[in-house]
Amino acid sequence: MTNSSLRVADLHVSFGTLEVLRGVDLAVPSGSTTCVIGPSGSGKSTLLRAINQLERPSRGDVLLDEVSVVRADPDALRRRIGMVFQHFNLFAHRTVLDNLVLPLRSVLRLSKEEARERALGHLGDVGLADKAPYRPSALSGGQRQRVAIARALAMRPEVMLFDEATSALDPELVKGVLGLMAELSATGMTMVVVTHEMGFARSVADQVAFMDHGRVVEVGPPGRVFESPSSPRLRRFLDQVL
Amino acid sequence: MSDLLDTFLNWDYIAEVLPDLLKTGLVNTLVLAGFSAVLGTVLGLGLALLGLSHRRWLRWPARVYTDIFRGLPAIVTILLVGQGLAVVARPLVGTNPYPLGILALSLIASAYIGEIFRAGIQSVDKGQSEAARALGMTHTATMARVVVPQGIRRVLPALVNQFISLVKDSSLVYFLGLLVSQRELFRIGQDLAANTGNQSPLVAAGLVYLAITVPLTHLVNAVDRRLREGRPVRGGDTLDELEPARG
């Protein structure tokens, strides 16, 4: 697996007159995990979506291994960046197996056999090989999210983005998905994780970035960010959530 | 009372018209409706995709087309196309009114089917296409493999309704002038009714229409129920995944 570093420089995104990202700077070293925390509407999800061009930045730069990709072909860029969504977004009309096989065939042009083999391998990694012939609707939320993670990993991305991957899950299912993400982090995958799970951020992240009003207000190792926050806004936020 | 019964249910006339209805009329009606359904569906899907385009110059023609063919009475379109284009089409199709009749029926049907597909495609959760794009799939692959298949499944009942309309509207080709062998159900019933002054042959034609359309109606209901309630496919697998996969 080749993992890349990710850097975001002075990134701006606007929806009409509403400026959602107002100059975000963030560096994620190769093989490390950065958790992005912050209040609702602070621009965390938009940041992830702008990194893989689901939203078009109006200004600023995104760099993979220090090479600017902000004007790269979006399809080519997205092949290098995996993304996991809050609502899983599994293809509802396809089986679990086909959810992995379809992009492998359509994007990476693998043969039917290769795609199937790789898909089953990744489903096995998340403990769901036996669910391969089922429709996503037959799975629990936690299982669906694990399939979504397997689907993204099967594309062998250099960076993984997680957009509130456990927010839509019942509490008892959160742990399994977070455990899987922690395992992935331990393998040295470059990860950016938008999360409300402060325990996860504290124990897994190499650095934590606090966003507010479209900017990264504070960034640092989890110990420092959680124990001795320097900005009053972060202190107020932590008082509310912890 | 017996006069009334005789006017509508004269068994002699019904027995006389039935062989023609089944051997000639039914086949011709199914040919007209079947070809129009296929062509109308293909055109309709194209219209839906144009109508959903981000480019205004692609959206607009689809909009205008739909407004025209949905807004005109079917008979006007059939006569304009069937008679108006006859001269141009003669070198290609001769004097047979079927090709132009099928074209006219398809143009009308595609306007409705396009709107049905458009609604279906628009109803697919945006997360589905975002997930496909985030995996690196192109816009075309995303539409073809993820969005359109889900959109179409949702509108199958409405689509079958449209096919029922086509079976009925195929009778309007009558106005283009049909040879004996080209007569469809309505024309065969109408001919004998006109000759005899008795409505029973038309009643017989109507019954054959019903024999096609009523099963289709029930098919719609069955499909609709299946999509609504979900149907076990494999070990508790259901079709209720047609709802966006949330929670």
Side-chain angles (χ1 to χ4, degrees):
Chain A
M1 205 182 297
T2 58
N3 296 320
S4 298
S5 66
L6 171 73
R7 191 157 68 83
V8 172
D10 191 34
L11 202 64
H12 287 68
V13 171
S14 299
F15 300 134
T17 54
L18 181 69
E19 224 184 352
V20 182
L21 294 190
R22 303 192 295 172
V24 172
D25 293 291
L26 184 66
V28 182
S30 169
S32 74
T33 294
T34 294
C35 282
V36 182
I37 60 172
S40 297
S42 57
K44 308 184 295 291
S45 292
T46 305
L47 169 63
L48 292 194
R49 297 167 60 84
I51 288 172
N52 76 354
Q53 294 196 23
L54 284 178
E55 308 293 349
R56 214 61 194 155
S58 51
R59 210 169 88 199
D61 208 351
V62 176
L63 304 99
L64 278 182
D65 275 342
E66 292 305 312
V67 177
S68 172
V69 290
V70 79
R71 262 168 282 285
D73 166 38
D75 294 333
L77 172 66
R78 291 171 191 144
R79 281 199 282 275
R80 304 174 62 189
I81 301 177
M83 182 151 182
V84 174
F85 298 86
Q86 181 178 357
H87 295 294
F88 331 130
N89 297 346
L90 294 180
F91 304 137
H93 64 308
R94 298 280 189 144
T95 63
V96 165
L97 181 66
D98 280 348
N99 261 273
L100 277 71
V101 167
L102 175 61
L104 290 174
R105 303 262 295 140
S106 167
V107 179
L108 300 186
R109 303 276 167 209
L110 297 193
S111 73
K112 214 179 249 177
E113 260 324 296
E114 285 173 316
R116 206 184 127 79
E117 202 174 308
R118 193 193 282 195
L120 282 172
H122 280 274
L123 283 175
D125 290 346
V126 300
L128 290 172
D130 59 326
K131 297 293 183 191
Y134 290 84
R135 290 276 164 77
S137 58
L139 273 56
S140 74
Q143 290 172 330
R144 287 183 207 185
Q145 194 59 295
R146 275 147 65 194
V147 171
I149 292 171
R151 179 173 70 176
L153 289 177
M155 305 298 287
R156 311 259 161 96
E158 299 162 36
V159 175
M160 281 286 286
L161 311 176
F162 292 85
D163 188 7
E164 300 196 21
T166 58
S167 297
L169 296 178
D170 293 335
E172 73 271 20
L173 303 174
V174 169
K175 213 172 145 191
V177 172
L178 289 181
L180 180 60
M181 290 163 63
E183 279 173 33
L184 186 62
S185 172
T187 65
M189 170 62 79
T190 310
M191 292 170 43
V192 183
V193 181
V194 167
T195 186
H196 294 295
E197 299 289 338
M198 296 304 149
F200 177 85
R202 199 191 289 258
S203 61
V204 177
D206 298 293
Q207 68 174 354
V208 174
F210 170 68
M211 278 187 78
D212 197 21
H213 290 109
R215 285 199 182 93
V216 171
V217 176
E218 192 162 340
V219 64
R224 201 185 75 214
V225 167
F226 285 113
E227 305 313 330
S228 50
S230 53
S231 93
R233 277 192 281 177
L234 174 55
R235 273 202 297 275
R236 213 164 39 240
F237 174 74
L238 290 176
D239 280 345
Q240 283 164 356
V241 298
L242 290 180
Chain B
M1 183 63 194
S2 73
D3 277 358
L4 201 61
L5 209 60
D6 184 65
T7 303
F8 289 106
L9 288 173
N10 182 312
W11 296 111
D12 293 336
Y13 290 134
I14 290 178
E16 187 182 336
V17 80
L18 209 53
D20 278 347
L21 281 177
L22 295 179
K23 269 190 282 185
T24 310
L26 178 60
V27 174
N28 285 336
T29 292
L30 289 178
V31 164
L32 285 167
F35 278 102
S36 307
V38 172
L39 190 55
T41 302
V42 172
L43 287 175
L45 186 56
L47 274 176
L49 293 174
L50 289 180
L52 289 168
S53 168
H54 294 299
R55 297 189 181 89
R56 191 189 300 219
W57 57 273
L58 286 174
R59 246 185 1 250
W60 258 90
R63 197 66 260 155
V64 171
Y65 176 102
T66 305
D67 282 347
I68 290 175
F69 286 105
R70 219 172 35 162
L72 286 176
I75 187 63
V76 172
T77 303
I78 287 170
L79 287 178
L80 284 177
V81 172
Q83 296 176 346
L85 297 183
V87 180
V88 194
R90 189 160 296 159
L92 287 171
V93 299
T95 54
N96 187 342
Y98 269 44
L100 287 178
I102 287 170
L103 176 64
L105 287 170
S106 306
L107 293 176
I108 300 163
S110 65
Y112 289 94
I113 291 173
E115 288 297 278
I116 292 171
F117 278 152
R118 193 163 67 98
I121 291 168
Q122 274 178 324
S123 75
V124 176
D125 183 49
K126 201 164 160 257
Q128 295 283 304
S129 56
E130 283 194 344
R133 298 311 302 274
L135 286 159
M137 289 172 70
T138 60
H139 175 71
T140 310
T142 298
M143 290 303 282
R145 313 298 292 276
V146 176
V147 178
V148 171
Q150 293 187 62
I152 288 180
R153 282 176 66 166
R154 284 175 200 204
V155 297
L156 278 179
L159 206 58
V160 180
N161 274 334
Q162 204 52 49
F163 295 156
I164 291 172
S165 288
L166 263 176
V167 171
K168 296 186 291 183
D169 286 352
S170 66
S171 59
L172 294 169
V173 173
Y174 160 80
F175 287 97
L176 295 181
L178 301 172
L179 298 176
V180 173
S181 64
Q182 294 167 341
R183 295 184 304 169
E184 38 62 67
L185 289 170
F186 165 70
R187 175 69 193 273
I188 288 174
Q190 166 64 10
D191 278 358
L192 192 63
N195 287 342
T196 60
N198 186 291
Q199 300 304 310
S200 303
L202 259 185
V203 170
L207 289 173
V208 181
Y209 277 115
L210 290 176
I212 307 171
T213 54
V214 171
L216 277 177
T217 313
H218 285 281
L219 179 69
V220 174
N221 294 339
V223 169
D224 202 29
R225 210 169 28 243
R226 208 187 71 174
L227 292 180
R228 219 180 285 282
E229 295 169 2
R231 176 189 64 124
V233 177
R234 194 201 304 249
D237 189 5
T238 66
L239 284 175
D240 66 3
E241 79 281 358
L242 289 169
E243 295 304 314
R246 289 184 190 278

